[in-house]
Amino acid sequence: MSRALHAEWTKLRTLPSTGWLLAALAAVTVLVGAAVTGAVDTSHCATPAGCAEDTPRLALSGVRIAQVAAVALGALAVGGEYAAGTIGATLTAVPRRVTVLAAKAAVVSGAVAASGTAGVLGAVAAGRLILPRNGFTPEHGYPLLSPADGATARAAFGTVLYLVLTALLALGAGAALRDSAAAITAVLALLWIVPVLASLVADDTWQRRLDRFAPMTAGLAVQSTRSLERLPIGPWAGLGVLAAYAVAALLAGGARFAARDA
Amino acid sequence: MEATIEVRGLRKRFGPRLAVDGLSFTAAPGLVTGFVGPNGAGKSTTMRMILGLDRPDEGAALVGGRPYRSLRTPLCHLGAMLDASAVHPARRARDHLRWLAHANGIPARRVGEVIELAGLGSVANRPAGGFSLGMRQRLGIAAALLGDPPALMFDEPVNGLDPEGVAWIRGLLRSLAAQGRAVLVSSHLMSELEGGADHLVVIGRGRVIADTGVAELLAAASGGRTELRTPDRQRAMTALAREGAEVAAAERDAVTVSGLPAERIIEVLTAARVPFTGIAEHRATLEEAYMELTRDAVEFRAGTGGEAL
């Protein structure tokens, strides 16, 4: 397994696209988070405290876009090998297919976790700078953002896990579909379209059900630090829903990868 | 370390098509074994099954007595080049060899060695996407040699190469076999193997048609035929046919005669006063021998061709 890990790490590291995707992941998390945070102030509320803005969640909202990079990285890890034809070389070097997939999952997770952590810390730092200027001050009930603060720490750590899980979901989809473009499309559709559909559903009960089982809505519940009782699903339970999707995709992809001719 | 590539009763079906139909043969150490057959005969499928990429419906393929998929460091047992273009276009050639080396615990200095061995020194730090076909073949061969394996397998290694590249690969295959390695090399053109192979496994429609030494095959194909050169071909053919020989017009002033020994041919021609300028025992080319073998087995027909993967 350690040799397979070494090989997959070398493979990931030696593609220029990996560096670009990881840089984009961190940069988009920070920049979009900063842009969204900068666009919101307390002027539209009766009192600044009355806004009840979930400031950590606001600062971390960049991952909604940045997850595209995580999805692409995950999908390319397997799908890219089918496109380039290197899957044959990979499986002749490491014939145990479950080992190959596990090694890919491990190195992609590590890379996404590292760049996600950088992005999330950057986004929290940007929020700490920007939020007080827009009226979200400690005096108004909005403590300065800090990764050491309990709820913010959970939101930040959970966001990194969210990115890792979306990458794994895409990796499983890539192994099942054997095509990066198809896997990226399928995963982004799952992440983005289900919330849109949920918003179109008139029935409240169904809307809450959809929100509870839509991977992005449920997964991002982990970013919430205020009014948790009003969430359709709890922070960790929500991340668990996304994890279930990722596990299902990895099992489906793994089963196909192990059983089929290469 | 010696290793034999052994195929026992391999059978593989793709949908309605039986691609490999009970194939058995052995590639022995110290020999270049040519694996020959028309397009679609099942060569690539067989090689993929030897590597564990495709699962056989029946039978087994063994490398040094073990199934490939059970090997812990497979690249050190069997080096293979199936598809030379299967390199990520954005990855540098050296990095492609590096990850392969890491996967089997092969020391990093070996990467440098095979780069030199394959003559890739000047391009090793460039992305493989810009490589010509010849350079890709060299990179594929470098990858096959990486684990210094006792057995090697190449699928159509000279396909699309210039004469210099063909000569290089032929020499390389010979020297690998001379080092005691088992070398299995496929081709759909027998002429590509002329002077390059010691043993031949000829297949058609997924079955072995011939499994023979090159020398024996050539002797059999040349069998009892005599090549005659004469300025008066028509009269020579008539005279010889009257004596019961089988005659066939070859090149412009040549006739291939079978069924009569050379001394008797000379007697007949002299008696009939037919002039001739040369008479020699016929030496078949590999190509001729192959055509004879595969005449019934050629399955490539217009509209149905194509090598199945």
Side-chain angles (χ1 to χ4, degrees), chain B residues 16-72:
Chain B
R17 214 176 74 84
L18 198 53
V20 175
D21 185 9
L23 210 58
S24 298
F25 67 86
T26 298
L31 296 181
V32 176
T33 301
F35 188 35
V36 198
N39 285 325
K43 302 186 297 292
S44 297
T45 305
T46 301
M47 289 185 153
R48 288 175 59 83
M49 286 193 283
I50 292 171
L51 289 171
L53 293 175
D54 289 357
R55 210 184 291 268
D57 297 332
E58 272 176 52
L62 303 172
V63 179
R66 296 175 61 189
Y68 187 87
R69 283 176 79 157
S70 76
L71 300 169
R72 282 190 56 79

Side-chain angles (χ1 to χ4, degrees), chain B residues 246-271:
Chain B
E246 258 181 62
V247 288
E251 298 147 49
R252 206 163 43 83
D253 59 347
V255 183
T256 305
V257 188
S258 51
L260 276 189
E263 317 83 74
R264 185 77 189 109
I265 294 172
I266 295 173
E267 281 175 25
V268 170
L269 293 179
T270 312

Side-chain angles (χ1 to χ4, degrees), chain A residues 3-4 6-7 10-16 80 84-97 258-262, chain B residues 12 14 48 51-55 68-69 71-75 85-91 95-96 98-100 102-105:
Chain A
R3 283 170 175 170
H6 193 182
T10 306
K11 230 188 266 185
L12 189 68
R13 182 171 68 73
T14 53
L15 280 187
T86 51
I87 192 69
T90 294
L91 293 177
T92 46
V94 184
R96 270 166 305 184
R97 301 187 180 190
R260 291 280 305 262
D261 287 342
Chain B
K12 178 76 180 175
F14 291 114
R48 288 175 59 83
L51 289 171
L53 293 175
D54 289 357
R55 210 184 291 268
Y68 187 87
R69 283 176 79 157
L71 300 169
R72 282 190 56 79
T73 53
L75 300 183
S85 63
V87 184
H88 198 292
R91 191 177 281 125
D95 291 331
H96 176 71
R98 262 189 196 142
W99 73 255
L100 284 168
H102 291 157
N104 278 232

